[in-house]
Amino acid sequence: MVQKAKILLVDDRPENLLALEAILSALDQTLVRASSGEEALKALLTDDFAVILLDVQMPGMDGFETAAHIKRRERTRDIPIIFLTAINHGPHHTFRGYAAGAVDYISKPFDPWVLRAKVSVFVELYMKNCQLREQAALLRLQLEGGGKGTAGGSKEPSGGILAELSARLAAVEEQAEALSKQLDDEAADAAAVATAAHLERKLTGLRRALDALEPGTGGPASVPSQN
């Protein structure tokens, strides 16, 4: 079963959270509410999120301050943040949002379809990264335990396991390539394109490590970090 991605919705107004849930429900992912910056930071301590939708104007800790805290934490600094705001003070205000670490800055009222499309891109990228980490974990297990206790003391990994790993990786590679083409065709956000490119580089590194395990290629290679 494919685990659903979590999307964090941060807004101090319940009606706004309800509207966001109505817009994003079609994505069939797990939507988590937070009514303040403090509540959002607490949720981020225990759960992993694909993307954060963050209101700018909130009492106490506003969206900019909340984003600054998120970006300072190693665990959460790479989570995409989409700022939502009902005010527009011109380019300087928008620049402040991007400077705080946002990947996008959307003014209310916004087009529900556009918002849903933007969020879906980051959800898909998150899911591909999760799949990639799973393949890397399987490959590390194979490298660490492959061949132990086999007849003749062979250290060669099982051909069946290699074939299974290769097939799984190929499926992720195909999906990542299709996503990259979709982003190019849609003139997507630069942040989404950069994230997709980073994913493809990690896939390439994992494929090289897997190929190095094939018989006659010189033995196991180190698996690149997937962080």
Side-chain angles (χ1 to χ4, degrees):
M1 183 185 301
V2 178
Q3 187 174 2
K4 294 183 179 181
K6 292 183 178 181
I7 302 169
L8 183 58
L9 313 176
V10 189
D11 199 304
D12 63 299
R13 299 175 67 90
E15 61 270 26
N16 290 343
L17 291 171
L18 188 63
L20 288 174
E21 288 175 337
I23 292 169
L24 300 176
S25 61
L27 298 180
D28 193 28
Q29 304 300 325
T30 302
L31 305 177
V32 178
R33 284 189 176 200
S35 58
S36 67
E38 292 85 355
E39 192 175 332
L41 294 176
K42 184 177 180 180
L44 288 162
L45 287 174
T46 54
D47 290 325
D48 294 324
F49 292 90
V51 61
I52 302 169
L53 274 62
L54 181 57
D55 185 39
V56 172
Q57 278 194 306
M58 294 186 294
M61 185 184 297
D62 66 12
F64 295 132
E65 187 178 354
T66 303
H69 282 288
I70 293 171
K71 293 302 178 182
R72 279 198 293 266
R73 293 178 179 177
E74 183 176 356
R75 174 188 172 94
T76 58
R77 63 187 178 192
D78 293 326
I79 302 177
I81 298 174
I82 298 177
F83 272 132
L84 304 177
T85 178
I87 59 175
N88 187 353
H89 294 312
H92 176 73
H93 198 261
T94 303
F95 174 78
R96 187 183 175 193
Y98 287 119
V103 298
D104 210 338
Y105 194 97
I106 302 177
S107 296
K108 303 174 186 177
F110 46 78
D111 186 326
W113 186 92
V114 170
L115 179 64
R116 187 164 53 242
K118 288 177 180 290
V119 170
S120 69
V121 168
F122 289 107
V123 167
E124 194 163 355
L125 287 170
Y126 173 82
M127 300 298 283
K128 297 296 177 292
N129 270 297
C130 288
Q131 289 179 293
L132 182 56
R133 284 195 295 269
E134 290 175 2
Q135 306 315 312
L138 286 172
L139 183 52
R140 286 194 183 95
L141 286 174
Q142 180 60 43
L143 286 169
E144 293 168 359
K148 289 185 179 179
T150 57
S154 171
K155 299 299 181 181
E156 290 290 341
S158 164
I161 294 177
L162 283 178
E164 174 68 16
L165 284 169
S166 182
R168 293 188 183 188
L169 182 57
V172 180
E173 287 172 329
E174 183 178 351
Q175 293 168 356
E177 182 180 359
L179 178 59
S180 294
K181 289 181 179 178
Q182 177 185 342
L183 291 174
D184 290 339
D185 293 341
E186 295 178 355
D189 300 328
V193 173
T195 302
H198 181 59
L199 174 62
E200 287 193 333
R201 288 194 297 271
K202 292 196 292 185
L203 281 169
T204 299
L206 187 56
R207 171 58 70 184
R208 288 173 178 169
L210 184 58
D211 289 345
L213 291 174
E214 294 290 343
T217 59
S222 60
V223 181
S225 171
Q226 302 303 316
N227 296 327

